[in-house]
Structure formats: structure tokens, C-alpha cells
Amino acid sequence: MSTASLAKSDYETPNRSWYKRNEISVTPWLFLAPAILFFAAYVIIPIFQSFEISLFAWDGLGAREYIGTENYVELWDDPAFYTSLKNNVIWLILYLLAIPAGLFIALFLNQTVMGIRLYKSLFFFPFVISQVVVGLVFTWFYDPTFGLLNTIIGWVGLGPINVLGDPTYVTYGIIAAGLWPQTAYCMILYLTGLNAVDPEQIEAARLDGAKGWRMLWYVIVPQLKPATFIAFVVTIVGALRSFDLISVMTNGGPFGESRVLSFYMFEVALSEYGFRMGYGAAIAVVLFFIMLFFIAYFLYSMYQDERGR
Amino acid sequence: MFPTPIQKSPRSWQITYQSFLPVALIMWLLPLLAVALFSVKPEGDFSGGNYWSLPSSFGGFENYGRVFFESDMPRYLLNSLLITVPTAIGAVALSCMAGFALGIYKFKLNLWVFFLFVAGNFVPFQILMVPVRDLTLDMGLYNTKTGLVLFHIAFQSGFCTLFMRNFIKGLPFALIEAARVEGIAEWRIFIYIVLPLMKPAIAALSVLIFTFIWNDYFWAIVLTQGVESQPVTAGITSFNAQFRAAYHLMSAGAIVAALPPVAMFFLMQKHFIAGLTLGAVK
């Protein structure tokens, strides 16, 4: 025993505590603990709980009844589910228009003239406003009796169209409202990206005779790749999170034609139409897997980036 | 057009550009300008059917006065503030620590933990809705501001950690090594060396989280109901029910509800944009 303690005192003074000896390996976990705890309780664990709940019939209050995959079987034959899914696809595709639109506005505003900073801020304005207010603003904009849209197309002898009351137009009308703040967001990403474009490369390309579209596509857009990636991520996430606008503008109507999965889930699980938590959870699981496909891609891209450092 | 600087283009194009700018801006903000116009029109204009004429008299004081003194709007605004500020403080505090751990230390699970935060940040809200509502009910926090704040802190810590970790990775590591050689304790390194360098990131995140949370609607209607705890995004629905078809008041209400994040943006513009675009440009 005495030899052992002697050996120890050779490399360490006895008053160094366990914490002191393991400081470098323990500290990160101490610092991570609160965030991980919160994140696990409110985000990670609930994902798995939702998977579980989707296998039950449950009204949120009484006893749960295990019904296996019945919720998913019902979903398979639910026309409202397919309407929502179809609308989700339309949202995803059309929402991506925010990226070229944002780039276009950014190119337009990327000049140095008097007051351009204020112009840039004001163009960015719609993104700062809550989606609820954007929804209200566009509901009035589309209003068939006094809305600005119908007033304007009335001048050229068209209309009136009740955009939000017509099953064929309603989803497009809401997406247009959503594109407004989203385009502003993409614009600001590109404006920042354009600041970092290398002027020497542009000069070199100009000497080589590149101009117009070719200059844009082959010289400028490749240099904006990081901005495009972020714009893509936030636009996809935004499209799949579309809930506020639908809830405020149409509440899913007319005849449920403007529902998307996120809204339909809420309607099934937590609205006057019922408290079917199990069925709602099943819809959420489907939505989760659609998102997971994109999350995997985002993480893969980030991983490549990390390794490149 | 870009990349040709406007100063080098012909005089005629310069004039066209300069005069087109305000036109483009008005077109871009047209729906909003319409609401702003509505909010200062007196009631008589609407009953007379003069929706789009200039206001026959300035009704702004009366309209906004009624929003503030005859509705629950001030209460909703206060609720929003009491939800937003603690969330911003909490989420930023948690993520400063988590970002420090992930940005400075090399350990086996580092990238896994980091990706867990990133992935969680992207999940659809609906997959969390039922369990989070349950958890909040079980803790007795349903329909309280605290319940909403706790969830927001947890969820936002995903994005904030991503942000903070990348920021800390960009700091010179030599500083930390030097401190370690001096024998300074790790937690002191965090407080006295890293934290002061994180000020710009903290400012950017706080402004961003303030805006995100102020504008949240989904969780507000899932976790709260009624005037005692609902934030303004959810409250505006009841406000509109109270003033149904009174467009001048609903417009004024919408503008009041939208204003705080807008003010925040204009006051803290530099931080705001730095926050939004971090990572887009190094």
C-alpha cells in the first residue's frame, strides 16, 4: 500500500480532486447539461412519444386504447389526407420561387445610390411582421367586395374573383401571401452574399467577354452557393411549417381545400372538430418523415462542410 | 444591372433606376400600405363605402385610441413581452454554455450532440404538439406564460446552439490554450475569456429570438387560451371577433401587433442581419 501511495504522489499532489483531474473531459458535459436536459424533455423525447401515441385511440383525457396501425390504415383511405399531401407538394414547389425572386430583388438593390440602405430595410420589412398579420393583410387584400386586388383588376374590366373562397385558387392565394415574407428573407441572404462576391473574378470574366445571364449563372451564382444553401434550408422548412397563414386566412376552407398536413393534424387533434390525438399523431409522423428526408440532406451537407475544415 | 455599378452606366439608365426604386417599393409594400391607410380612416368612410378614397378626415387618433383603451390589446402586448424577453434570455444563456462546450472541447460525441440540436431544430411542430401539451398539462403549466416560455427556451436552444457553436469555432483557439497553460480553471475561461468575445453573437441572437417568439402563433394557441396568458398573435383573433367588420379598428390592431418586432428590427438592424445571415457568408 505504501508503495502505491508513494507512486501516486510522484505525479500528482494529493489534494487534487477528482474534478480537477478530469476537468477537460467533464467540463463540456457540465456546460451541455442544461441545454440537453431541456432539449430532450421538450423535443427529442416527444418525437418518440408521438410515434407511440399514433398507435392509440385517445381523446387526450380518458384512457388510451391500443389499436395498432389502425390510425395509419384510416389515413390511407382518408381523402382529406391526400388533399393535404397534394397541397404540401404544391407549397414545397412554389415556395422555392422565393429563392430566385429573392436573388432578383437582391441584384436589383445591390447598387450604391442615395438612400439605398433604407430601401433595403423596407424591402426586408415583410419578414419581420408576424405571419398572423401577413395573413390578415392578405385576407383583406383578396377580399371580393373591397379588396385592393379586385379593385385593381376591376379597372381593366376583370373580376371580381374571390381568391380565398374558390377551391381552385385558394392554395395559390395563400402561397402568394407566404412568398412575400419568404422572398424578403432570401433577398437579405443574397444581399449579404453579394457583398462577398470577388470583384476580381467579375473583372476577369468581363475581360473574357461574359455578360448578362452568362455572367450571372457562371460567375456570380456559384459564388453565392453558401447563401443559396441557407435560403434553400429556410424555404423548405418554411413551406412545411405553413400553418399560421392557413389558420388565419381560411381555416382550411373552403371545403378543406386549403389544408396542408400541419394544419390538418391540428384540426384533427385540437380543434372544434375533435380531439383525436392518436390520429393526429399519425399525420404528424407522416409529416415528420417528409421533413426527415430534408433534414438528412441538410445534415449530410453540413457534415461534408465540417470535414472540409 | 449588377454587376455593372450604376455610376458607370448611361445617364438615362441611372435616372430610370432611381425613379423606378420608389415605385417598386410601393408595389412591394402595397398590401401593407393599404392596411396603414385603413387604420387612419374614420368610421364613416367605411359605412359610406369609400374604401379606397383618401381619408375624409384623420381618424388615426380615435382608431388607435380605441385599440388601446377599449380592447384587451394592451394586455396581450404585455403578455407577449413577458413571454418573449424571458425566452430570449433563457435560450441565449443555455446556448452560450452549450455552444462553448461544443465549440471548444474535442470529445467523441461532439458532432453527434451538435447534429442532434441541429436536427431537432428542423422538426415539424406537429410531431411535438401532443406530448408537449401533455407535459405542460401535467406540470400544471397549461395556459400559463411560464409553460410557453419553458417550451420556447427548449426549442430555440436548438437553433441558438447551432449559431453559438459556429461563432465560438471562429474564435482564436490560441487564447484558450494560453489560459490553460496559465492554469486557469475551465469555467473561468468561459466567463472571463470566451463570454466577453461573444457579445456580438449574443446581441444578434437576442434580437432574432425576440422576433421569432413575438411572432409565434402555433404554440400560443396550443399551450394557452384566454386573455390572461395569450400573446398578441393569438389575441388578435379575439380582438377581430370583438370588432368584426370594423376594418379601421382591425387594421389599427394589426399594425399595433406587428410594430414591436419592426421597431426592434430598425433599432438593431446590424445585429439582426448579422444573425440571420451568419453562416451564409463567413
Side-chain angles (χ1 to χ4, degrees):
Chain A
M1 280 318 259
S2 65
T3 40
S5 62
L6 202 84
K8 195 179 176 210
S9 63
D10 275 349
Y11 62 90
E12 210 156 55
T13 47
N15 62 356
R16 269 175 56 112
S17 63
W18 180 88
Y19 172 74
K20 267 287 164 205
R21 275 178 280 130
N22 296 288
E23 198 178 3
I24 298 281
S25 56
V26 174
T27 310
W29 293 104
L30 290 177
F31 274 92
L32 275 172
I36 288 187
L37 220 64
F38 263 76
F39 208 64
Y42 274 107
V43 183
I44 307 298
I45 297 171
I47 294 173
F48 295 101
Q49 285 174 324
S50 275
F51 279 95
E52 192 197 342
I53 292 167
S54 75
L55 303 175
F56 288 83
W58 187 35
D59 63 0
L61 296 167
R64 303 174 180 196
E65 187 199 340
Y66 181 77
I67 54 168
T69 55
E70 242 173 78
N71 282 324
Y72 293 96
V73 174
E74 189 184 338
L75 207 57
W76 187 258
D77 289 321
D78 183 353
F81 170 69
Y82 289 102
T83 310
S84 313
L85 199 60
K86 185 194 79 189
N87 283 338
N88 259 129
V89 174
I90 299 176
W91 268 88
L92 273 175
I93 296 169
L94 290 184
Y95 229 49
L96 289 175
L97 287 176
I99 299 175
L103 175 61
F104 178 78
I105 298 179
L107 289 171
F108 174 67
L109 290 178
N110 192 44
Q111 296 287 1
T112 40
V113 295
M114 255 265 288
I116 196 72
R117 275 178 58 93
L118 187 64
Y119 276 111
K120 287 176 182 171
S121 312
L122 288 171
F123 265 89
F124 183 61
F125 211 87
F127 179 73
V128 193
I129 303 170
S130 86
Q131 298 246 316
V132 174
V133 174
V134 171
L136 286 173
V137 167
F138 269 82
T139 310
W140 299 331
F141 182 72
Y142 289 140
D143 190 284
T145 50
F146 67 84
L148 197 55
L149 178 72
N150 280 301
T151 310
I152 291 171
I153 63 172
W155 292 339
V156 289
L158 290 172
I161 19 172
N162 184 1
V163 177
L164 298 181
D166 190 317
T168 35
Y169 299 133
V170 63
T171 295
Y172 301 102
I174 302 174
I175 294 173
L179 277 175
W180 192 47
Q182 194 65 33
T183 302
Y185 193 174
C186 293
M187 176 204 82
I188 210 80
L189 290 172
Y190 278 124
L191 273 176
T192 319
L194 283 170
N195 278 335
V197 165
D198 181 7
E200 281 181 21
Q201 281 195 34
I202 292 175
E203 213 38 58
R206 207 196 303 277
L207 291 176
D208 285 343
K211 53 183 166 188
W213 290 110
R214 292 171 60 85
M215 170 76 100
L216 180 66
W217 188 250
Y218 292 107
V219 181
I220 296 167
V221 170
Q223 293 191 60
L224 293 172
K225 209 176 151 209
T228 308
F229 178 69
I230 307 252
F232 182 71
V233 172
V234 296
T235 305
I236 293 289
V237 174
L240 286 173
R241 285 217 176 127
S242 51
F243 172 88
D244 303 4
L245 287 173
I246 296 166
S247 171
V248 169
M249 291 174 80
T250 61
N251 212 10
F255 320 116
E257 280 297 323
S258 61
R259 287 179 185 130
V260 294
L261 287 178
S262 61
F263 183 80
Y264 186 45
M265 186 275 167
F266 178 81
E267 196 179 70
V268 166
L270 208 65
S271 73
E272 63 263 44
Y273 299 103
F275 278 80
R276 298 189 59 198
M277 301 288 175
Y279 196 51
I283 300 170
V285 167
V286 173
L287 183 62
F288 176 74
F289 276 110
I290 297 174
M291 194 67 229
L292 198 60
F293 173 76
F294 291 104
I295 294 177
Y297 166 72
F298 300 155
L299 288 185
Y300 177 74
S301 303
M302 285 180 67
Y303 181 66
Q304 297 289 32
D305 228 33
E306 287 294 322
R307 290 206 321 180
R309 280 186 195 205
Chain B
M1 205 87 198
F2 189 81
T4 315
I6 193 85
Q7 285 76 11
K8 285 187 191 165
S9 43
R11 186 82 194 126
S12 60
W13 169 238
Q14 286 187 29
I15 292 167
T16 319
Y17 180 79
Q18 299 249 23
S19 49
F20 187 64
L21 263 179
V23 179
L25 182 67
I26 288 171
M27 273 160 44
W28 181 242
L29 293 179
L30 200 59
L32 206 61
L33 293 173
V35 174
L37 176 70
F38 268 26
S39 77
V40 295
K41 279 165 83 95
E43 197 170 355
D45 279 11
F46 292 93
S47 46
N50 299 324
Y51 288 107
W52 292 110
S53 60
L54 285 173
S56 58
S57 63
F58 184 75
F61 291 122
E62 205 214 323
N63 295 348
Y64 285 96
R66 286 185 66 185
V67 168
F68 275 107
F69 297 114
E70 286 175 36
S71 77
D72 289 326
M73 199 53 110
R75 186 67 205 267
Y76 289 128
L77 289 168
L78 180 68
N79 287 344
S80 273
L81 198 69
L82 292 176
I83 290 165
T84 312
V85 173
T87 303
I89 296 171
V92 168
L94 285 190
S95 63
C96 277
M97 291 163 61
F100 173 71
L102 293 172
I104 299 287
Y105 297 90
K106 293 183 178 66
F107 53 98
K108 225 173 160 186
L109 291 173
N110 187 314
L111 212 56
W112 285 98
V113 175
F114 178 57
F115 278 177
L116 193 72
F117 279 112
V118 178
N121 168 48
F122 291 131
V123 299
F125 294 151
Q126 281 70 20
I127 192 103
L128 313 176
M129 186 187 99
V130 177
V132 165
R133 185 171 173 274
D134 255 13
L135 179 65
T136 310
L137 276 167
D138 286 346
M139 292 193 297
L141 294 174
Y142 180 75
N143 198 23
T144 62
K145 294 185 270 287
T146 318
L148 204 50
V149 167
L150 286 179
F151 170 77
H152 280 318
I153 290 179
F155 192 81
Q156 294 303 326
S157 68
F159 170 74
C160 295
T161 302
L162 161 74
F163 188 101
M164 286 300 189
R165 181 265 192 187
N166 284 347
F167 186 86
I168 292 175
K169 271 247 155 177
L171 297 176
F173 192 70
L175 274 177
I176 286 118
E177 278 176 329
R180 280 186 185 154
V181 170
E182 298 284 321
I184 297 173
E186 297 292 316
W187 66 272
R188 280 176 185 273
I189 295 182
F190 173 68
I191 293 182
Y192 294 110
I193 297 172
V194 176
L195 216 49
L197 294 172
M198 282 162 78
K199 272 182 198 153
I202 292 173
L205 259 190
S206 313
V207 179
L208 220 52
I209 298 301
F210 179 90
T211 313
F212 287 168
I213 300 304
W214 187 282
N215 291 340
D216 164 71
Y217 174 68
F218 182 77
W219 292 103
I221 59 173
V222 169
L223 296 180
T224 60
Q225 52 185 353
V227 69
E228 60 287 352
S229 49
Q230 271 194 330
V232 71
T233 43
I236 196 153
T237 324
S238 358
F239 176 85
N240 285 351
Q242 184 188 347
F243 295 109
R244 183 161 296 283
Y247 286 100
H248 54 302
L249 297 179
M250 294 202 294
S251 300
I255 290 199
V256 169
L259 219 50
V262 170
M264 194 65 151
F265 165 65
F266 275 101
L267 289 175
M268 312 279 285
Q269 206 180 92
K270 201 185 84 200
H271 295 302
F272 193 96
I273 290 173
L276 273 183
T277 53
L278 188 107
V281 180
K282 293 270 157 58

Coordinates of all heavy atoms in Angstrom, one line a residue, chain A residues 181-230:
Chain A
P181 N -43.1 37.4 -47.3 CA -42.0 37.4 -46.4 C -40.8 36.5 -46.7 O -39.7 36.9 -46.5 CB -42.7 37.0 -45.1 CG -43.9 36.3 -45.4 CD -44.4 36.9 -46.7
Q182 N -41.1 35.4 -47.3 CA -40.0 34.4 -47.6 C -39.1 35.0 -48.7 O -37.9 34.8 -48.6 CB -40.6 33.1 -48.1 CG -39.6 32.0 -48.1 CD -39.2 31.6 -46.7 OE1 -39.9 31.7 -45.8 NE2 -37.9 31.2 -46.6
T183 N -39.6 35.7 -49.7 CA -38.8 36.3 -50.7 C -37.9 37.4 -50.0 O -36.7 37.5 -50.3 CB -39.6 37.0 -51.8 OG1 -40.4 36.0 -52.3 CG2 -38.8 37.6 -52.8
A184 N -38.5 38.1 -49.1 CA -37.7 39.1 -48.3 C -36.5 38.5 -47.6 O -35.4 39.0 -47.6 CB -38.6 39.9 -47.4
Y185 N -36.8 37.4 -47.0 CA -35.7 36.6 -46.3 C -34.6 36.2 -47.2 O -33.4 36.5 -47.0 CB -36.3 35.4 -45.6 CG -35.5 34.7 -44.6 CD1 -36.0 33.7 -43.8 CD2 -34.2 35.1 -44.3 CE1 -35.3 33.0 -42.9 CE2 -33.4 34.5 -43.4 CZ -34.0 33.4 -42.6 OH -33.2 32.8 -41.7
C186 N -35.0 35.6 -48.4 CA -34.0 35.2 -49.3 C -33.2 36.4 -49.9 O -32.0 36.3 -50.1 CB -34.6 34.4 -50.5 SG -35.3 32.9 -50.0
M187 N -33.9 37.5 -50.1 CA -33.3 38.7 -50.6 C -32.1 39.1 -49.6 O -31.0 39.4 -50.1 CB -34.3 39.8 -50.7 CG -33.7 41.1 -51.1 SD -34.7 42.5 -50.6 CE -34.3 42.7 -48.9
I188 N -32.4 39.1 -48.3 CA -31.4 39.6 -47.4 C -30.2 38.7 -47.3 O -29.0 39.1 -47.2 CB -32.0 39.9 -46.0 CG1 -31.3 41.0 -45.3 CG2 -32.0 38.6 -45.1 CD1 -31.7 42.3 -45.7
L189 N -30.5 37.4 -47.5 CA -29.4 36.4 -47.6 C -28.5 36.7 -48.8 O -27.3 36.7 -48.7 CB -29.9 35.0 -47.6 CG -30.6 34.4 -46.4 CD1 -31.2 33.1 -46.7 CD2 -29.6 34.2 -45.3
Y190 N -29.1 37.0 -49.9 CA -28.3 37.2 -51.1 C -27.6 38.6 -51.1 O -26.5 38.7 -51.6 CB -29.2 37.1 -52.4 CG -29.4 35.7 -52.8 CD1 -30.7 35.1 -52.9 CD2 -28.3 34.9 -53.1 CE1 -30.9 33.8 -53.3 CE2 -28.5 33.5 -53.5 CZ -29.8 33.0 -53.6 OH -29.9 31.7 -54.0
L191 N -28.3 39.5 -50.5 CA -27.6 40.9 -50.4 C -26.3 40.7 -49.6 O -25.3 41.3 -50.0 CB -28.5 41.9 -49.7 CG -29.5 42.6 -50.6 CD1 -30.4 43.5 -49.8 CD2 -28.8 43.4 -51.6
T192 N -26.4 40.0 -48.5 CA -25.1 39.8 -47.7 C -24.1 38.9 -48.6 O -22.9 39.2 -48.5 CB -25.5 39.0 -46.4 OG1 -26.7 39.6 -45.9 CG2 -24.3 39.2 -45.4
G193 N -24.7 37.9 -49.3 CA -23.8 37.1 -50.1 C -23.1 37.9 -51.2 O -21.9 37.8 -51.5
L194 N -23.8 38.9 -51.8 CA -23.3 39.7 -52.9 C -22.1 40.5 -52.4 O -21.2 40.9 -53.2 CB -24.4 40.5 -53.5 CG -25.3 39.8 -54.5 CD1 -26.5 40.7 -54.8 CD2 -24.6 39.4 -55.7
N195 N -22.2 40.9 -51.1 CA -21.1 41.7 -50.6 C -19.7 41.0 -50.7 O -18.7 41.6 -50.7 CB -21.3 42.1 -49.1 CG -22.3 43.3 -49.0 OD1 -22.3 44.1 -49.9 ND2 -23.0 43.3 -47.9
A196 N -19.8 39.7 -50.6 CA -18.6 38.9 -50.5 C -18.2 38.4 -51.9 O -17.2 37.7 -52.0 CB -18.8 37.7 -49.6
V197 N -18.9 38.7 -53.0 CA -18.5 38.3 -54.3 C -17.2 39.0 -54.7 O -17.1 40.2 -54.5 CB -19.6 38.6 -55.3 CG1 -19.1 38.5 -56.7 CG2 -20.8 37.7 -55.1
D198 N -16.3 38.2 -55.2 CA -15.0 38.7 -55.5 C -15.0 39.6 -56.8 O -15.2 39.1 -57.9 CB -14.1 37.4 -55.7 CG -12.6 37.8 -56.0 OD1 -12.3 39.0 -55.9 OD2 -11.9 36.9 -56.3
P199 N -14.7 40.9 -56.6 CA -14.7 41.7 -57.8 C -13.7 41.4 -58.9 O -13.9 41.6 -60.1 CB -14.5 43.1 -57.2 CG -14.0 42.9 -55.8 CD -14.4 41.6 -55.4
E200 N -12.6 40.8 -58.4 CA -11.5 40.4 -59.4 C -12.0 39.3 -60.4 O -11.7 39.4 -61.6 CB -10.3 39.9 -58.7 CG -9.5 41.1 -58.2 CD -8.2 40.6 -57.5 OE1 -7.8 39.4 -57.8 OE2 -7.6 41.3 -56.7
Q201 N -12.8 38.4 -59.9 CA -13.3 37.4 -60.7 C -14.3 37.9 -61.7 O -14.3 37.5 -62.9 CB -14.1 36.3 -59.9 CG -13.1 35.3 -59.2 CD -13.9 34.1 -58.7 OE1 -14.8 33.7 -59.3 NE2 -13.4 33.6 -57.6
I202 N -15.1 38.9 -61.3 CA -16.0 39.6 -62.2 C -15.3 40.3 -63.3 O -15.6 40.2 -64.5 CB -17.0 40.5 -61.4 CG1 -17.9 39.7 -60.5 CG2 -17.8 41.4 -62.4 CD1 -18.7 40.6 -59.6
E203 N -14.2 41.0 -62.9 CA -13.4 41.7 -63.9 C -12.8 40.8 -64.9 O -12.8 41.0 -66.1 CB -12.3 42.5 -63.1 CG -12.0 43.8 -63.7 CD -13.1 44.6 -64.3 OE1 -14.1 44.9 -63.6 OE2 -13.1 44.8 -65.6
A204 N -12.3 39.6 -64.4 CA -11.7 38.6 -65.2 C -12.7 38.1 -66.2 O -12.4 37.9 -67.4 CB -11.1 37.5 -64.4
A205 N -13.9 37.8 -65.7 CA -14.9 37.3 -66.6 C -15.3 38.3 -67.6 O -15.6 37.9 -68.8 CB -16.2 36.9 -65.7
R206 N -15.4 39.6 -67.2 CA -15.7 40.6 -68.2 C -14.7 40.7 -69.3 O -15.1 40.8 -70.5 CB -15.8 41.9 -67.4 CG -16.8 42.9 -68.1 CD -16.6 44.3 -67.6 NE -16.7 44.5 -66.2 CZ -17.9 44.6 -65.6 NH1 -19.0 44.6 -66.2 NH2 -17.9 44.7 -64.2
L207 N -13.4 40.5 -68.9 CA -12.4 40.5 -70.0 C -12.6 39.4 -70.9 O -12.2 39.5 -72.1 CB -11.0 40.5 -69.3 CG -10.6 41.8 -68.6 CD1 -9.2 41.6 -67.9 CD2 -10.6 43.0 -69.5
D208 N -13.1 38.3 -70.4 CA -13.3 37.1 -71.2 C -14.6 37.2 -72.0 O -15.0 36.3 -72.7 CB -13.4 35.8 -70.4 CG -12.0 35.4 -69.9 OD1 -11.0 35.9 -70.5 OD2 -11.9 34.6 -69.0
G209 N -15.3 38.3 -71.8 CA -16.5 38.6 -72.7 C -17.8 38.1 -72.1 O -18.8 38.0 -72.8
A210 N -17.8 37.7 -70.8 CA -19.0 37.2 -70.2 C -19.9 38.5 -69.8 O -19.3 39.4 -69.3 CB -18.7 36.4 -68.9
K211 N -21.2 38.4 -70.0 CA -22.1 39.4 -69.5 C -23.5 38.9 -69.4 O -23.8 37.7 -69.8 CB -22.0 40.7 -70.4 CG -22.3 40.4 -71.8 CD -22.1 41.8 -72.6 CE -22.0 41.6 -74.1 NZ -21.7 42.8 -74.8
G212 N -24.4 39.7 -68.8 CA -25.8 39.3 -68.7 C -26.0 38.0 -68.0 O -25.4 37.8 -66.9
W213 N -26.8 37.1 -68.6 CA -27.2 35.9 -67.9 C -26.0 35.0 -67.7 O -25.9 34.3 -66.7 CB -28.2 35.1 -68.8 CG -29.5 35.8 -68.8 CD1 -30.1 36.5 -69.8 CD2 -30.4 35.9 -67.6 NE1 -31.3 37.0 -69.4 CE2 -31.5 36.7 -68.1 CE3 -30.4 35.5 -66.3 CZ2 -32.6 37.0 -67.3 CZ3 -31.5 35.8 -65.5 CH2 -32.6 36.5 -66.0
R214 N -25.0 35.0 -68.7 CA -23.9 34.1 -68.6 C -23.0 34.5 -67.4 O -22.5 33.7 -66.6 CB -23.1 34.1 -69.9 CG -23.8 33.4 -71.0 CD -23.1 33.6 -72.3 NE -21.8 33.0 -72.3 CZ -21.5 31.7 -72.5 NH1 -22.5 30.9 -72.8 NH2 -20.3 31.2 -72.4
M215 N -22.8 35.8 -67.2 CA -22.1 36.3 -66.1 C -22.8 35.9 -64.8 O -22.1 35.4 -63.9 CB -22.0 37.8 -66.2 CG -21.5 38.5 -65.0 SD -19.7 38.4 -64.8 CE -19.2 39.9 -65.5
L216 N -24.1 36.1 -64.7 CA -24.9 35.7 -63.5 C -24.7 34.3 -63.2 O -24.4 33.9 -62.1 CB -26.3 36.1 -63.8 CG -27.3 35.9 -62.6 CD1 -26.9 36.8 -61.4 CD2 -28.7 36.1 -63.0
W217 N -25.0 33.4 -64.2 CA -25.1 32.0 -64.0 C -23.7 31.3 -63.7 O -23.6 30.5 -62.8 CB -25.8 31.3 -65.1 CG -26.1 29.9 -64.9 CD1 -25.5 28.8 -65.5 CD2 -27.0 29.4 -64.0 NE1 -26.0 27.7 -65.0 CE2 -27.0 28.0 -64.0 CE3 -27.9 30.0 -63.1 CZ2 -27.8 27.1 -63.2 CZ3 -28.7 29.1 -62.3 CH2 -28.6 27.8 -62.4
Y218 N -22.7 31.7 -64.4 CA -21.4 31.1 -64.3 C -20.4 31.7 -63.4 O -19.5 31.1 -62.9 CB -20.8 30.9 -65.7 CG -21.5 30.0 -66.6 CD1 -22.2 30.5 -67.7 CD2 -21.5 28.6 -66.4 CE1 -23.0 29.6 -68.5 CE2 -22.2 27.8 -67.2 CZ -22.9 28.3 -68.3 OH -23.6 27.4 -69.1
V219 N -20.6 33.0 -63.1 CA -19.6 33.7 -62.3 C -20.2 34.1 -60.9 O -19.6 33.8 -59.9 CB -19.1 35.0 -63.0 CG1 -18.0 35.6 -62.1 CG2 -18.5 34.6 -64.3
I220 N -21.4 34.6 -60.9 CA -21.9 35.1 -59.7 C -22.6 34.1 -58.8 O -22.3 33.9 -57.7 CB -22.8 36.4 -59.9 CG1 -22.0 37.5 -60.5 CG2 -23.5 36.8 -58.6 CD1 -22.7 38.6 -61.1
V221 N -23.6 33.4 -59.5 CA -24.3 32.3 -58.7 C -23.4 31.3 -58.0 O -23.7 31.0 -56.8 CB -25.4 31.7 -59.6 CG1 -26.0 30.5 -58.9 CG2 -26.5 32.7 -60.0
P222 N -22.4 30.8 -58.7 CA -21.5 29.8 -57.9 C -20.9 30.4 -56.7 O -20.7 29.7 -55.7 CB -20.4 29.5 -59.0 CG -21.1 29.8 -60.3 CD -22.0 30.9 -60.1
Q223 N -20.6 31.7 -56.7 CA -20.0 32.3 -55.5 C -21.0 32.6 -54.4 O -20.7 32.8 -53.3 CB -19.4 33.7 -55.9 CG -18.2 33.5 -56.8 CD -17.4 34.8 -56.9 OE1 -16.9 35.4 -55.9 NE2 -17.3 35.3 -58.1
L224 N -22.3 32.5 -54.8 CA -23.4 32.7 -53.8 C -23.8 31.4 -53.2 O -24.9 31.3 -52.5 CB -24.6 33.4 -54.4 CG -24.3 34.8 -54.9 CD1 -25.5 35.3 -55.7 CD2 -24.1 35.7 -53.7
K225 N -23.1 30.3 -53.4 CA -23.6 29.0 -53.0 C -23.9 28.9 -51.5 O -25.0 28.3 -51.2 CB -22.5 27.9 -53.4 CG -23.2 26.6 -53.6 CD -22.2 25.5 -54.1 CE -22.6 24.2 -53.7 NZ -21.5 23.2 -53.5
P226 N -23.1 29.4 -50.6 CA -23.5 29.3 -49.2 C -24.8 30.0 -48.9 O -25.7 29.5 -48.2 CB -22.4 30.1 -48.5 CG -21.2 30.1 -49.4 CD -21.8 30.1 -50.8
A227 N -25.1 31.2 -49.5 CA -26.3 31.8 -49.3 C -27.5 31.0 -49.9 O -28.5 30.9 -49.3 CB -26.3 33.2 -50.0
T228 N -27.2 30.4 -51.0 CA -28.3 29.6 -51.7 C -28.6 28.4 -50.8 O -29.8 28.1 -50.6 CB -27.9 29.1 -53.0 OG1 -27.4 30.2 -53.8 CG2 -29.0 28.4 -53.8
F229 N -27.6 27.8 -50.2 CA -27.9 26.7 -49.3 C -28.8 27.1 -48.1 O -29.8 26.4 -47.8 CB -26.6 26.1 -48.8 CG -26.8 24.9 -47.8 CD1 -27.3 23.7 -48.3 CD2 -26.5 25.1 -46.5 CE1 -27.5 22.7 -47.4 CE2 -26.7 24.0 -45.6 CZ -27.2 22.8 -46.0
I230 N -28.4 28.2 -47.4 CA -29.3 28.6 -46.3 C -30.7 29.0 -46.8 O -31.7 28.6 -46.2 CB -28.6 29.9 -45.6 CG1 -27.2 29.6 -45.2 CG2 -29.5 30.3 -44.4 CD1 -26.9 29.4 -43.8

